[in-house]
Amino acid sequence: NAGVTQTPKFQVLKTGQSMTLQCAQDMNHEYMSWYRQDPGMGLRLIHYSVGAGITDQGEVPNGYNVSRSTTEDFPLRLLSAAPSQTSVYFCASSFGLPANSGNTIYFGEGSWLTVV
Amino acid sequence: AQSVTQLGSHVSVSEGALVLLRCNYSSSVPPYLFWYVQYPNQGLQLLLKYTTGATLVKGINGFEAEFKKSETSFHLTKPSAHMSDAAEYFCAVSDQDGGSQGNLIFGKGTKLSVKP
């Protein structure tokens, strides 16, 4: 009963390095998304996907790339890490967009990223 | 475009006292409303949600919230606080307005402390 699985849980990067945060879900959800959480800012949407092969930008997409080649996986790539990307990242999934009948979003446990 | 305002970034109550966490939203169309809870170093978990129908919604762990359209509010309450309720609580909104492309918009969160 895995739900939404994120790896790694903790990561320290040097400025300019690249890395990929992995996200997988086993609930056959069409909708997946990435949020970042910063103190006092709540959660802000980075990118989202409504199905395999379809991705779109959220509120804070700059510096991040995503792809959705399968229903299960939705990796988030940091192309050239900056200290401003130090944050906690959450992957989430749902049967569909929340605005469609109020679909519930299920969250992963989070990935703590520090860029030095 | 939607927005969510949570009044009070920190709320402290005594064990056994009433818990009241405030959430106001703005939306040009009937919204879907959610409350999520985040325990330390964990992901977010759905407490309850309002989609349609009864405006008083009951959730897990004895929490409930009432949708008041005239006040554009969705306040979260619990009659008697327990030590285990100490966590951060997030209100979120989604609708078909298009401003959030159908995604969830989160408030900045309210951290609840429970004193023995």
Side-chain angles (χ1 to χ4, degrees):
Chain A
N1 197 18
V4 180
T5 304
Q6 293 182 230
T7 55
K9 193 168 180 71
F10 300 98
Q11 183 72 49
V12 179
L13 279 180
K14 293 182 179 179
T15 297
Q17 285 185 319
S18 63
M19 78 157 298
T20 299
L21 298 176
Q22 301 292 343
C23 176
Q25 52 90 10
D26 61 358
M27 297 175 281
N28 201 30
H29 285 168
E30 290 294 328
Y31 173 88
M32 296 185 74
S33 57
W34 277 100
Y35 285 86
R36 60 176 289 173
Q37 182 180 24
D38 302 290
M41 301 290 290
L43 280 82
R44 293 180 291 169
L45 182 66
I46 305 172
H47 285 285
Y48 68 101
S49 168
V50 296
I54 305 169
T55 64
D56 210 340
Q57 296 181 351
E59 180 186 357
V60 289
N62 292 340
Y64 307 96
N65 271 3
V66 292
S67 60
R68 184 92 181 271
S69 56
T70 67
T71 299
E72 295 78 20
D73 300 299
F74 191 45
L76 178 72
R77 297 182 187 86
L78 283 71
L79 305 174
S80 177
S84 60
Q85 294 178 302
T86 293
S87 187
V88 184
Y89 292 85
F90 288 99
C91 181
S93 74
S94 175
F95 283 110
L97 280 167
N100 295 341
S101 305
N103 284 304
T104 297
I105 288 183
Y106 298 89
F107 284 83
E109 292 290 300
S111 296
W112 275 254
L113 177 66
T114 301
V115 183
V116 298
Chain B
Q2 312 109 314
S3 66
V4 178
T5 302
Q6 291 184 240
L7 297 176
S9 57
H10 288 88
V11 170
S12 182
V13 300
S14 297
E15 192 173 20
L18 171 73
V19 176
L20 170 61
L21 304 182
R22 300 178 186 273
C23 174
N24 288 88
Y25 68 91
S26 68
S27 176
S28 59
V29 298
Y32 298 123
L33 295 158
F34 303 77
W35 275 100
Y36 279 85
V37 60
Q38 183 181 33
Y39 298 102
N41 300 318
Q42 293 188 24
L44 281 74
Q45 177 184 3
L46 181 71
L47 267 180
L48 49 82
K49 68 178 179 181
Y50 169 78
T51 55
T52 58
T55 56
L56 181 62
V57 181
K58 295 186 186 297
I60 61 172
N61 301 337
F63 284 93
E64 62 182 36
E66 187 170 11
F67 168 55
K68 292 188 176 181
K69 184 178 177 181
S70 61
E71 299 177 7
T72 60
S73 69
F74 191 55
H75 302 331
L76 182 71
T77 60
K78 182 174 180 177
S80 178
H82 192 272
M83 297 296 291
S84 61
D85 295 326
E88 190 159 19
Y89 293 80
F90 292 92
C91 183
V93 64
S94 180
D95 62 38
Q96 297 283 0
D97 187 24
S100 66
Q101 301 156 288
N103 290 283
L104 279 185
I105 300 295
F106 284 88
K108 295 187 187 313
T110 297
K111 198 162 286 188
L112 176 67
S113 300
V114 182
K115 299 174 290 186

